[in-house]
DNA sequence: TATAGTCACTTGCATAATGCAAGTGACTTG
DNA sequence: CAAGTCACTTGCATTATGCAAGTGACTATA
């Protein structure tokens, strides 16, 4: 059991609606792309930066911070000398698989010129 | 057959990824709440405004415009004298049900104090 | 027929988020 | 000891969001 068993709490909820509250955490253009990259096997800051959408580095830093605070990802050093960090999904993060799967599915069915490049276990 | 059979085209795609492209249409704090309201049976401007999250009216107008342009919703007058408009989901919009369902499901399982208020056919 | 009210927005402006480029510090390799 | 990599931070311009008030078409009531 890792640290994903505690629920996220949102200080000033705009409503009790689960969709609204989920959007307060994931509802922007970048957050779910970082999570997509994690599902695709990426784990370091520079790997996230190298994705084709070219996320600005300040936004990447901000999203990694927010996702960590919300218990969706975990930051750990994977080597010393020099110390290098890996981010990975917690159970809470892994449980976003179905959300990503349905979004990807909707995209391929409804947006022209979209192509799933790699097969992910969502 | 209604007008939902044409795929959305995104002028300057940031990548061919279906998740990235879906986020370019739905990735913000408000768009999916309007769609949620439509799934919940709401259809007029004032009904959307009355939802507990209190969407600013300029943002509501903007989102209804964008969703219409993307073929996700349809605007039709439902009465003359005075003319009143109803928005409703196209087939493309209805196919977002699974996305909403998985987001709602993730919210109830991972965010404290979230409560699904009404049962929706997602 | 003046007055008030509703609906579906629009406008103006302040605040916050995003986007771009450059810089920083710890560390390693040649 | 110079150059490079990693994981960021900072400064600033641009864009989006949020709030309040206003608009115009229409109706219902006095």
């Amino acid at each position: 059991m890792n640290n994903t068993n505690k629920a996220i709490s949102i200080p000033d909820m705009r409503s009790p609606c689960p969709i609204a509250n989920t959007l307060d955490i994931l509802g922007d253009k970048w957050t779910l792309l970082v999570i997509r990259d994690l599902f695709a096997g990426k784990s370091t800051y520079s790997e996230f930066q190298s994705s084709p959408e070219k996320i600005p580095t300040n936004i990447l830093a901000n999203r990694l911070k927010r996702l960590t605070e919300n218990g969706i990802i975990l930051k750990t050093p994977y080597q010393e000398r020099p110390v290098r960090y890996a981010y990975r999904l917690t159970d809470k993060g892994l449980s976003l698989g179905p959300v990503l799967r349905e979004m990807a599915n909707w995209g391929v069915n409804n947006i022209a010129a979209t192509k799933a490049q790699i097969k992910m276990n969502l």
Side-chain angles (χ1 to χ4, degrees), chain A residues 1 3-4 8-9 13 15 18-19 31 33 37-38 44-45 48 50 56 61 77-78 80 86 93 97-98 113:
Chain A
M1 192 150 86
N3 69 340
T4 61
I8 294 163
S9 85
M13 280 188 159
S15 84
I19 295 169
T31 303
L33 290 188
D37 283 353
L38 285 158
T44 66
Y45 199 93
F48 301 137
S50 73
Y78 67 91
E80 305 289 324

Side-chain angles (χ1 to χ4, degrees), chain A residues 5 10-11 13 18 24 47-48 52 60 65 67 76 81 84-85 96 99 106 111 113 119-120:
Chain A
N5 54 332
I10 298 176
M13 280 188 159
D24 282 339
E47 283 176 321
F48 301 137
L60 175 56
K65 183 166 171 282
L67 287 170
T76 44
R81 330 201 47 80
R84 293 286 180 255
Y85 301 100
L96 283 167
V99 174
W106 188 85
I111 305 174
K119 202 161 219 127
M120 289 195 281

